[in-house]
Amino acid sequence: MKNDQVAFGIDIGGTNTKIGLFDHSGKLLSYRTHPTSKSSAPELFIEQLAQECDHLLASELKIKLGDPRIVGVGAGAPMANYFTGRVEHAPNLGWKNVALRDLFQEHFKSPAVIENDANLAAVGEKKWGAGKDLTDFVLITLGTGVGAGLILDGKLYRGHNALGAEGGHIIIPHEKRRLCSCGGLNHIESYLSAKGIKQTIQELTGEEWTIEKLGIEFRSGNLRAVTIINTIAEELATGLTSMAVLLGPQAFVIGGGVSKLGDTFNQVVLKKLDELVHFSLRGKIKIVTASLSSDKGAIHGGAAHIIDEVFS
């Protein structure tokens, strides 16, 4: 990749779509958000997204879509399938059987790849972040939902039909049964998503706390906050234990909004993990915070992915 070439990373969320323009080194040159319209047809939405990116290019680099300096676009979307290039069914977007990769290539006039957002975040951490010196790690995103991206032997693992690594839907034993957004019971996402953590806080305190408040109270030694942190750390460690014995990773990389709890939280999770995991793995797995921005990991990964795709 030449020094004057750029790539787009895009993360299509249920409310907003994040757009990042990156240079060859992974530096974020420009960042914008665009409302995700659930009422518009996908074709119209991608056309509007392309217009937004055209304006971004004109203001930043004085070029337009289709310019040879644009390597391409890497986009994340719910239930995006890398192999087929389609989104089969994304209830949060109201999309069914959308040929998303073709739409991007048509409107952006350049190569495109699509993935789910956790996969993209894992790719970004491998190329430019906390995973660049690791060959085997699991990226866990703790946000609106719980996602997982696997890097095995230095490469992204998707599984058959690109449906692997749905770590948020691992079942954990729990005395308080909870319904997951997918309809299943006692999935990690039921407890470790933003909604799940808020429910736990409500159950333990009778109050509503933000993740930021939880972190502040925990670091100040608030006993209720310590109880909450120990509870969610054990729930997360229980799920990670299943992944650990199956995959034997060097590390779990924690991203998403909950990662703002920082290394102190990671150490509590690691202590719980070492208590639960098979003795042969104790002390051999690290837990680290994703080094890319907690809310921009997928766009970093999108740019990294398309760069690797084009130049591999």
Side-chain angles (χ1 to χ4, degrees), residues 131-203:
K132 61 184 177 183
D133 295 322
L134 302 174
T135 58
D136 298 86
F137 68 89
V138 183
L139 184 284
I140 304 292
T141 58
L142 303 175
T144 303
V146 175
L150 303 185
I151 299 294
L152 303 179
D153 291 330
K155 298 179 181 179
L156 178 66
Y157 177 80
R158 298 182 181 89
H160 187 60
N161 290 332
L163 298 176
E166 287 292 341
H169 300 287
I170 288 178
I171 297 171
I172 60 175
H174 206 289
E175 60 184 15
K176 293 183 178 179
R177 289 157 61 89
R178 284 190 191 172
L179 189 67
C180 181
S181 59
C182 73
L185 279 174
N186 288 19
H187 293 183
I188 293 178
E189 185 169 305
S190 307
Y191 304 95
L192 274 301
S193 64
K195 179 182 177 181
I197 291 174
K198 287 179 181 179
Q199 184 174 340
T200 297
I201 292 171
Q202 177 70 33
E203 290 171 353

Side-chain angles (χ1 to χ4, degrees), residues 100-115:
L100 189 60
R101 182 173 59 208
D102 289 347
L103 289 174
F104 269 111
Q105 291 181 160
E106 175 187 349
H107 291 288
F108 281 70
K109 304 171 187 175
S110 62
V113 293
I114 67 166
E115 288 277 6

Side-chain angles (χ1 to χ4, degrees), residues 22 74 120-121 123-125 128 292 296-306:
F22 295 83
L120 286 186
V123 171
E125 290 294 335
W128 292 319
L292 302 179
K296 297 185 180 71
I299 62 172
H300 277 88
H305 200 344
I306 189 63

Side-chain angles (χ1 to χ4, degrees), residues 64-113:
K64 292 184 176 182
L65 290 174
D67 188 287
R69 284 169 286 184
I70 303 168
V71 173
V73 54
M79 300 304 292
N81 189 308
Y82 169 82
F83 296 127
T84 66
R86 309 182 80 87
V87 173
E88 303 298 337
H89 185 204
N92 289 342
L93 300 176
W95 291 2
K96 285 187 178 181
N97 200 28
V98 176
L100 189 60
R101 182 173 59 208
D102 289 347
L103 289 174
F104 269 111
Q105 291 181 160
E106 175 187 349
H107 291 288
F108 281 70
K109 304 171 187 175
S110 62
V113 293

Side-chain angles (χ1 to χ4, degrees), residues 12-16 35-42 45 48 90-95:
I12 301 173
T15 304
N16 290 300
T36 304
S37 175
K38 300 175 186 177
S39 59
S40 299
F45 171 68
Q48 293 169 343
N92 289 342
L93 300 176
W95 291 2

